[in-house]
Amino acid sequence: MGRDLNDKFPVARSVFEEADEALGFSLSHLIFEGPEDQLKLTEHTQPAILTVSVAAARVLAERGIQASVAAGHSLGEYSAHVAAGTLTFADAVRTVRSRGCYMQQAVPAGEGAMAAILGLSADLIQTICSQVSDQLTPLPMTPETKNFSPSSAVVSPANLNSPDQTVISGAAVAVERTADLCKQAGAKRTVMLPVSAPFHCALMQPAQDALAHDLAKLGFDDPRFPVAANVDARLLTKGSEVPDCLVRQVTGPVRWVECIQLLIAQGATHFIEVGPGRVLSGLMRQIDRNQKTLNVEDSSSLEKTLAALAGS
């Protein structure tokens, strides 16, 4: 990912070079060459996706395409703020690498899990998560209580991606039980996700605390255009509001459906997904099929997007 942008656009190449300099190692080599097992480590994945997304956004900006409002999904919220000028790219790429490390370290490997629930309402999924947490928490004064760890009962909605798709996160046993009950309750499908940690749930509290210290040291400017906050589904226009939202995002759910609805309510008519893949474009079709969605991840998709915008 990103190699085509790097090879064909000097403004993109400068982003990859800036990432390498900020991190003190060649992230660009890891992105372009691998090895894949290293790139899949969240401490590398997060700065890699941020870098490619910012490179694509800057290529667009160089072509005169500027956002009037923006949202980013989880890690993507950092890309949105870099594009809006809220924080520098160097600060962002260092921060998200640390964010990835903190998330990886927060829960021992194998103890956490995430699952996608398809075709069931978010409210019903929330109810089932609460029921499972209650079932897995022993009553006081029982033999199980002495060895009980509250973390083993954690499960909650993590990504409210579309009316048809909610991702849950938490302790592995709680996530598996919730997924089974969701299937029994009428979910079309449940899919255990191949993730390295249970993101956006209470188990990420150690990562949230560590990230808060890092963000407190950074400077945040007022964004040039409003950016939707994942955790509150509200538009941020002041730099002073941003750190708290990015901190609480670590344990809070990504309220993506509400964020997109917020942008539509602001009058957005064209949505451009920047960065690798078209996951968000797919979610948009589930949220509101009437919206025009484009993407930029390489020179080919850039030309298609520019042509579509010119003709609209």
Side-chain angles (χ1 to χ4, degrees), residues 1-4 16 31-32 39 45 48-49 52 276 297:
M1 63 182 184
R3 182 194 288 275
D4 182 67
F16 289 99
I31 293 172
F32 303 147
L39 189 58
T45 305
I49 292 173
V52 176
E297 60 180 325

Side-chain angles (χ1 to χ4, degrees), residues 72-75 77 99 103 113-117 122 125-126 129 154-162 165-171 175 178 193 195 197-204 230-232 248-259:
H73 189 289
S74 189
L75 166 70
E77 195 167 340
R99 178 180 183 265
M103 288 177 159
M114 299 181 77
I117 312 299
I125 293 170
Q126 173 66 72
C129 284
V154 170
V155 60
S156 60
N159 301 333
L160 305 171
N161 284 338
S162 78
Q165 182 190 121
T166 297
V167 174
I168 59 173
S169 179
V175 170
T178 301
L193 302 178
V195 294
F199 305 125
H200 299 291
C201 75
L203 298 182
M204 289 288 108
N230 284 182
V231 72
D232 292 332
R248 289 187 293 115
Q249 186 218 64
V250 177
T251 58
V254 176
R255 296 165 61 181
W256 189 245
V257 175
E258 292 172 83
C259 285

Side-chain angles (χ1 to χ4, degrees), residues 18-47:
E18 187 177 353
D20 293 347
E21 183 177 351
L23 295 174
F25 72 94
S26 184
L27 177 69
S28 59
H29 180 83
L30 190 58
I31 293 172
F32 303 147
E33 306 290 343
E36 188 177 356
D37 63 328
Q38 286 296 307
L39 189 58
K40 282 184 174 180
L41 295 175
T42 192
E43 65 183 88
H44 295 147
T45 305
Q46 294 199 23

